[in-house]
Structures are given as structure tokens and as C-alpha cells.
Amino acid sequence: MSDELYRYLKIERDEEEDKLEMEKVDRFLFFGLIFTLVFVPLLTRVHITDYISPSITEADILDTGKKADVFTYYKHILLMISTAVLSLIFIYKVAVLRYSIPKTKINIALALLVLFITLSAVFAPYKTLALYGMYDRNEGTITYLCYLMLFFIAANIHYTEKRLKWALYCLYPFVLINALLGVVNFYGYNVLELNWVKKLLYSNLPPGAKLTEGSRLIATINHGNYVSGVSAVLTTLFFTWALLDKNKIRSIINFVMSLLCFAMLLSSLSVSGFLTLMLTLPLVFSLVFKAIYKRKFAVTFAVFLVGAACIYVVMVNHNPKVWDETFGFFIKSNPFAEAHAVVNEFQQAFDASHVYAETGSNQENKEYQLPQLPESGVGPGSGRLYIWKKTWELIQYRPLFGYGLDTLPYFFPQDDPEKQANIETYTVIVDKPHNMYIGIAYGAGVIALLAFVAFIVNIGILTIKRLINTKLVDDKQAIFASVAIACSAYLIQALFNDSIIGTAVIFWILLGLLVSFLMQNKQGKVS
């Protein structure tokens, strides 16, 4: 289309000059994506906002008033700014430099997904809320469109081998910082006691505002569930790269990074990442048939299992709950619990991990007075199955365009007595479905979910064909396989977790890099 426009306007351009200019633009786009990948997941700071609720509610967390957020507001702002700047540069690449966007089934499914996500905000009962999302999540329509645009930009950049490596190197700071935060918190040290951490997190607070007593900073993303999920993703990413990489020094570094990610996973005390890792490791091991150095692959794999086992034993002996959130999912009796007979009275009365992990906002509303409540208990999947069932019931009433992304708190039956029997207490607010796929169907409709599935399936088919027909003999192929496995791990953990800015931005950019590799290879640009 741009070529026809140039012919119509009789504008002549030097193709070689455009090619050089396009390389400069790709370089700028790449560094913009790197900047986003590094800083969005790490940006953490207290923000107080005047929240206007779309409806009158008895729950404090949902009502109008001043609300505090630590993990998503500034991430959301930076995400929007980065996406806007990169989008303008990408438009220049297409409109002026005549970049031709590949015609693929992937782009058709992506366009359909964009359309229905946009329409979901147009037809949402609470449109402003659907656009921006809840004040403490910011996972509304704007955020999703940013994800999809970043993916599209990343998928339409030509990557040199050096750029591919730097795309993964830039994840090192996230792992180092969050592994440190997770492990020191696991062993009882509160980093909020450090003055410089307080200054980074908040310089000052409005009069009357203060951090809740006993607050702890365990990661730069919202919750242990998300830490667990992204830990599994990054464990598989760096471990696969360590297995396939020919460079010995880099292989050792990535091996260490994978063990740090595993320690971070255990420190999160959430089962989702462990289940993801158990499901993904067989996929990783299957790559041995494609690896050029099979002996090195097998030895590294075995050493990783030994190293992970040592980390596990050390951490489970410190806190038996590690067992409960890993193998305890399959085996209820905890062999390490006997060594810790003295249990904190608070832990006996209130198991914060279950409520916090499965119901989101752990805030009491003492005005709720529901008669004849069922006996307190935890339903299958730590209450997830109950939440999924109730959310699917809501979807049946608005299957075409959904209710708007990140609006679940205002439509979920918060006064349902069965909450007591499935998520331990009726005083919590269910604010998310704990499943990314159900979240898309709820927020943007069933067609949006089908478009997303078609989008992922098309990428998956191309990736599998590529892996089947290729020997993993060089650095580019090793990175390709590592990113493919990591994206698979993200999609698996999304069965138990929601999308959240701090982790989703990693997935969408890596997925774009994966698609770019597939398209470049198809065009004969990648050896």
C-alpha cells in the first residue's frame, strides 16, 4: 500500500538509503524494547490515588476514596509511554520506509483479538474502569493493547545474534533483585527496615498515611503467585540456554541464574510455579534429541537436578511450608513438619498464603453480616475451582464482549455464602479469576478468547515445525529454543495465574522475539 502511495505521489526514494535507515530504526526499536523489558518489571513505588468507584459498595476496597498502590501504577505509566514512543517510530518504519508487514494467520488472529478487546471497553458497563482496570492492578483495555502493540513491534524487528543475546541478558537484573528480595524475606529479614529502601519505595506519604505494620517487600511484582509463575518461566529460559549454549562461561552463568530462579520460586511459597516447572521440564529434556552436544546436555541436566534438590532441602528444612506448596500438592503428609512442631499461633489461626494467593485482596470488611455461613474451608485448587465456576457463570450472561477487562470485583457474587467454604472467609474480595484465559473470556468475551487461542496455536505450530526440522547447532537456535520453552511455561502458569504488568510484559516481548525469529527464518534471513 505504501508503494502505491509513493507511485501516486511520484516520490522517488533510494532503496539502499531506506534499508540503512530501517536498520537504524530497528536498532532504536530494539533498545526501546530492552528499556521496557528491564525497567517495567522492576519499577516499584508507593502511589496514592483518589479512586472513584463506579458503584456504591459496602466493601472498603471497592468504595470511593484514597487508595494506595505499590506495584502497578508506575509500571503502567512507563508501559504506556514506552509503547506510545515505540509505536510512533514503528509507524515511521511502515509509512515512510515502506516496511512490508508479513501476511500471516498470526496477524489475522491478533487483529481479531485487538478488535474484541477494544469493543469490550466500548460496551462495558463501567467503561472507565474497563479502560484502566482496578487501581491496584491496572490490567484494563489500555494495558492489554500495549502488550499486543509491543508484541507486534518485537515481531517485526530483524534481530542480529548479538541483539538476541542482549534481549535475554537484560533479564538478569530482574532475577538478581527479586531472588535477593525473596530469599532474604524467606529467612526473616525485612528489607523495609533499611532507610535507603524506604526512600526508594516512598520519599514521603500524605498526612495520616502509613505502611501497614508488619509490611514486607518480597518482590518487585504484586504477589507470591506471580513471583512463583515468572520464576518457573525464567528457570526454564536460562536452564534451556545453559543446556544448549556452546559458550562455556555463558552456560555456567545461565546455569547459576536458573538455580537462583528456582530459589526465588521456592521462596514465593506458591504452588503455581512448581507445577509449571514439573510440566515444562519434560519439554526441556526432549531437546536432548536436537542438541549437538548430547553428553554435555545430559550432564548439565543431572547437575541442575542435584543443585535444585540441595536448594530445596535447605529451604524446606528452614520452613516446612515449602513442601506444602510443592510436593504437598500431590502428597498431603509433610515429612518436614515434625521438625517444626512449634507453629506460630498466628499461622494456626490465619493461613495468609492461601487467602492472599487465592482471593487477591486480603482486606476485611466488618460490615458484612451473612447469616448461617458454611463452615470455613478451602475448596479444590485452593479455592480456584470455585472462583472459575462462578466466573464462567458470569460469562454466560455476556459472552460476546464480556464485562470489560479487570472489572471482576464489581460483578463477582461477593455475598455468596459458599465463599466461606471455598476460600476460608467471606470477608475477602474476589478481584480476579486466577486464570488468564478465563480472565480474557470474562473481560473481552468468548470470541476474544478464541482469537487468543488461535493466535497462540498458530505460533505453536510454527515453533514445533521449526524445532522438529532443525538441529540446535548454533547460538541463535539455542536462544530460539530457550525462548520457545519459556513462552510455553508462561502459558502453562497462566492456567493458575492472572496477567499482571510485571510479568506479562516479559512474556509479550519474548513472544514477539520468537515470532520474529520464525518469520526471519521463513524468509531466509536467519541461518
Side-chain angles (χ1 to χ4, degrees):
M1 184 172 180
S2 57
D3 290 338
E4 294 176 2
L5 179 63
Y6 278 110
R7 283 196 296 269
Y8 177 77
L9 297 175
K10 296 181 180 180
I11 297 175
E12 294 184 3
R13 293 189 62 90
D14 187 313
E15 290 188 7
E16 287 300 318
E17 186 177 325
D18 281 353
K19 195 175 292 185
L20 292 173
E21 181 70 12
M22 194 175 296
E23 171 58 28
K24 292 180 182 178
V25 169
D26 274 359
R27 189 183 306 121
F28 195 94
L29 289 172
F30 172 74
F31 284 113
L33 289 173
I34 290 297
F35 175 86
T36 305
L37 202 53
V38 172
F39 290 102
V40 169
L42 290 176
L43 191 54
T44 304
R45 187 170 173 82
V46 173
H47 175 259
I48 308 294
T49 185
D50 289 314
Y51 177 71
I52 301 176
S53 174
S55 67
I56 298 175
T57 172
E58 295 180 354
D60 291 340
I61 186 176
L62 302 179
D63 206 2
T64 297
K66 289 191 177 295
K67 307 292 182 182
D69 168 70
V70 179
F71 299 102
T72 62
Y73 177 80
Y74 290 105
K75 286 180 173 67
H76 183 236
I77 296 298
L78 183 58
L79 176 68
M80 289 193 295
I81 294 172
S82 298
T83 305
V85 172
L86 293 175
S87 296
L88 290 174
I89 298 170
F90 185 75
I91 290 171
Y92 168 77
K93 177 180 176 180
V94 173
V96 178
L97 301 181
R98 294 182 286 182
Y99 171 74
S100 180
I101 297 172
K103 297 177 181 179
T104 66
K105 294 179 181 178
I106 295 172
N107 287 341
I108 294 173
L110 180 64
L112 189 62
L113 179 59
V114 169
L115 174 63
F116 274 84
I117 284 178
T118 303
L119 290 175
S120 72
V122 173
F123 294 103
Y126 303 136
K127 292 176 176 55
T128 302
L129 181 65
L131 274 175
Y132 295 98
M134 289 292 292
Y135 65 88
D136 58 347
R137 283 175 44 80
N138 291 286
E139 274 286 305
T141 300
I142 292 175
T143 298
Y144 260 85
L145 292 179
C146 286
Y147 295 155
L148 298 179
M149 190 62 199
L150 288 177
F151 159 80
F152 192 67
I153 293 170
N156 286 277
I157 295 177
H158 176 68
Y159 296 92
T160 62
E161 183 177 309
K162 185 177 181 180
R163 288 179 188 169
L164 288 171
K165 292 173 182 175
W166 274 102
L168 303 192
Y169 292 157
C170 72
L171 293 171
Y172 287 172
F174 178 83
V175 173
L176 293 172
I177 291 172
N178 282 282
L180 178 63
L181 287 173
V183 171
V184 298
N185 177 74
F186 181 83
Y187 282 96
Y189 186 79
N190 187 359
V191 296
L192 289 180
E193 295 175 355
L194 299 173
N195 287 329
W196 66 270
V197 174
K198 292 180 182 178
K199 290 179 180 179
L200 282 176
L201 198 61
Y202 59 96
S203 299
N204 51 58
L205 294 174
K210 62 179 180 179
L211 292 184
T212 304
E213 187 176 349
S215 295
R216 306 180 77 88
L217 180 66
I218 65 171
T220 63
I221 49 181
N222 304 37
H223 192 274
N225 274 1
Y226 309 123
V227 175
S228 181
V230 76
S231 296
V233 172
L234 296 178
T235 299
T236 57
L237 174 69
F238 292 119
F239 180 43
T240 304
W241 197 10
L243 289 169
L244 300 173
D245 198 354
K246 293 187 295 183
N247 185 300
K248 293 182 179 179
I249 294 177
R250 188 169 57 235
S251 183
I252 293 172
I253 292 172
N254 286 322
F255 181 84
V256 173
M257 296 299 291
S258 67
L259 288 178
L260 282 175
C261 290
F262 181 70
M264 181 166 65
L265 186 158
L266 296 181
S267 70
S268 70
L269 297 177
S270 176
V271 73
S272 61
F274 185 77
L275 289 178
T276 299
L277 196 58
M278 292 299 99
L279 292 171
T280 310
L281 281 180
L283 297 177
V284 176
F285 187 75
S286 69
L287 295 176
V288 67
F289 301 105
K290 292 292 178 179
I292 187 171
Y293 301 116
K294 291 181 172 57
R295 182 177 177 181
K296 182 243 185 185
F297 186 105
V299 170
T300 305
F301 200 100
V303 173
F304 173 81
L305 294 179
V306 172
C310 292
I311 293 172
Y312 185 90
V313 170
V314 171
M315 295 184 73
V316 77
N317 274 303
H318 176 76
N319 186 349
K321 190 170 175 55
V322 170
W323 173 276
D324 297 331
E325 299 297 338
T326 52
F327 294 106
F329 183 83
F330 309 100
I331 306 170
K332 296 303 178 184
S333 59
N334 188 337
F336 296 91
E338 296 179 1
H340 294 258
V342 180
V343 180
N344 186 284
E345 183 177 329
F346 174 79
Q347 290 177 321
Q348 290 180 329
F350 185 78
D351 187 350
S353 65
H354 275 101
V355 175
Y356 219 39
E358 317 314 334
T359 61
S361 302
N362 183 27
Q363 297 195 18
E364 292 190 6
N365 184 341
K366 298 180 180 179
E367 295 183 10
Y368 275 122
Q369 297 295 331
L370 296 178
Q372 299 179 347
L373 291 174
E375 185 178 348
S376 177
V378 179
S382 297
R384 279 180 170 86
L385 291 183
Y386 163 75
I387 295 173
W388 296 345
K389 177 186 174 184
K390 290 297 180 181
T391 306
W392 272 113
E393 290 175 1
L394 291 172
I395 292 170
Q396 294 172 21
Y397 292 100
R398 295 179 64 92
L400 189 57
F401 300 117
Y403 295 78
L405 293 163
D406 202 17
T407 63
L408 185 63
Y410 291 94
F411 294 95
F412 192 91
Q414 306 290 358
D415 58 352
D416 181 17
E418 290 303 314
K419 284 174 65 176
Q420 179 87 351
N422 286 277
I423 51 180
E424 293 188 315
T425 174
Y426 66 88
T427 60
V428 296
I429 301 298
V430 177
D431 61 351
K432 48 192 173 291
H434 296 282
N435 181 301
M436 184 180 73
Y437 306 96
I438 294 177
I440 292 173
Y442 163 84
V446 174
I447 296 178
L449 175 60
L450 293 176
F452 178 72
V453 171
F455 168 75
I456 293 299
V457 167
N458 274 287
I459 296 174
I461 290 172
L462 290 175
T463 302
I464 292 170
K465 286 181 178 178
R466 174 68 180 153
L467 287 172
I468 290 175
N469 297 323
T470 307
K471 276 280 188 181
L472 304 176
V473 296
D474 59 27
D475 289 344
K476 285 184 177 180
Q477 304 292 351
I479 293 173
F480 162 70
S482 303
V483 172
I485 292 291
C487 289
S488 300
Y490 183 90
L491 293 169
I492 292 172
Q493 67 85 39
L495 292 167
F496 320 110
N497 287 328
D498 308 277
S499 172
I500 198 73
I501 294 176
T503 60
V505 70
I506 296 174
F507 165 71
W508 285 105
I509 292 177
L510 289 182
L511 188 66
L513 187 151
L514 177 66
V515 170
S516 175
F517 187 99
L518 292 168
M519 294 299 103
Q520 289 175 21
N521 178 70
K522 194 174 182 180
Q523 298 168 10
K525 292 183 180 179
V526 175
S527 58

